[in-house]
Amino acid sequence: MITSASNTQVKNIIQLNQKAKARREQGLFVAEGRKMFGEAPRDWISKVYVTESLTSDSSLMEQISMLPEGKAEIVADNVFRQMCDTKTPQGILTVLRKPVWTIQDILRGDSPLIMILEDLQDPGNAGTIFRTGEGAGVSGVFLTKTCVDITNPKVIRSTMGSVYRMPFLYVEDVVSLKAELEQKGIRTFAAHLKGKNSYDQENYQGGTAFLI
């Protein structure tokens, strides 16, 4: 059991929560809470940390026991709180490998529905687009490199698990991406104060991309 905040694993979790560079270099990100652990693809899981007080939860511990040996650590409650990005942690924290998606993963199917995010900085907005997009049948999300880091803990929480199922890919700019999409027969739409048509007057059948 981990009982000290000086433990190297504890320090690393704090780094992963606070620094995009650490997440990028290690290819890892952190997801807090039972829902995020329960829905996590098992082959993404690098490590699970659970508070000492939750070890009495037989249902949760049974799920954790199904992980490969060495994948779980019990942490003293006071130390666990220091590892978390939230003020009222749920007692379980999952460290996951960052997925590697390709453009083919996003442009799947005959008529992909795509979101393109440009310069989007707000973590909550980014996460909301992911979970709303999943409900609307979006095929995947492209983001410019000036957007918020999707593995930011606030974004991860806001996705409510959709980050596990929604392919995403960072691109240099929307101009070159738009040209590539046009070559594949995918039309791009964006809202504009001087736009000619209302959004409900357009035909979105076929490959479609929405720019935000």
Side-chain angles (χ1 to χ4, degrees), residues 109-179:
D110 297 328
S111 303
L113 175 60
I114 300 160
M115 302 300 294
I116 304 173
L117 311 183
E118 182 181 28
D119 301 339
L120 187 69
Q121 293 294 319
D122 186 86
N125 286 347
T128 299
I129 288 171
F130 266 65
R131 69 172 190 266
T132 305
E134 183 185 16
V138 167
S139 309
V141 180
F142 288 107
L143 309 96
T144 59
K145 291 188 175 180
T146 51
C147 284
V148 64
D149 176 16
I150 292 302
T151 59
N152 178 306
K154 293 180 176 62
V155 179
I156 296 298
R157 285 198 299 277
S158 187
T159 68
M160 298 291 286
S162 291
V163 70
Y164 297 145
R165 300 173 291 273
M166 181 69 66
F168 63 93
L169 187 66
Y170 282 86
V171 296
E172 288 294 337
D173 61 82
V174 296
V175 176
S176 56
L177 175 62
K178 182 175 181 292

Side-chain angles (χ1 to χ4, degrees), residues 3 16 18 22 27 41 49 59 62 71 80 84 96 100 114 122 127 143-144 164 166 169 176 183 185 191-192 208 212:
T3 58
L16 290 173
Q18 296 178 351
Y49 297 87
S59 175
E62 183 179 354
K71 289 283 187 179
F80 186 86
C84 294
L96 302 116
V100 179
I114 300 160
D122 186 86
L143 309 96
T144 59
Y164 297 145
M166 181 69 66
L169 187 66
S176 56
Q183 291 178 358
H192 197 285
T208 301
I212 297 179

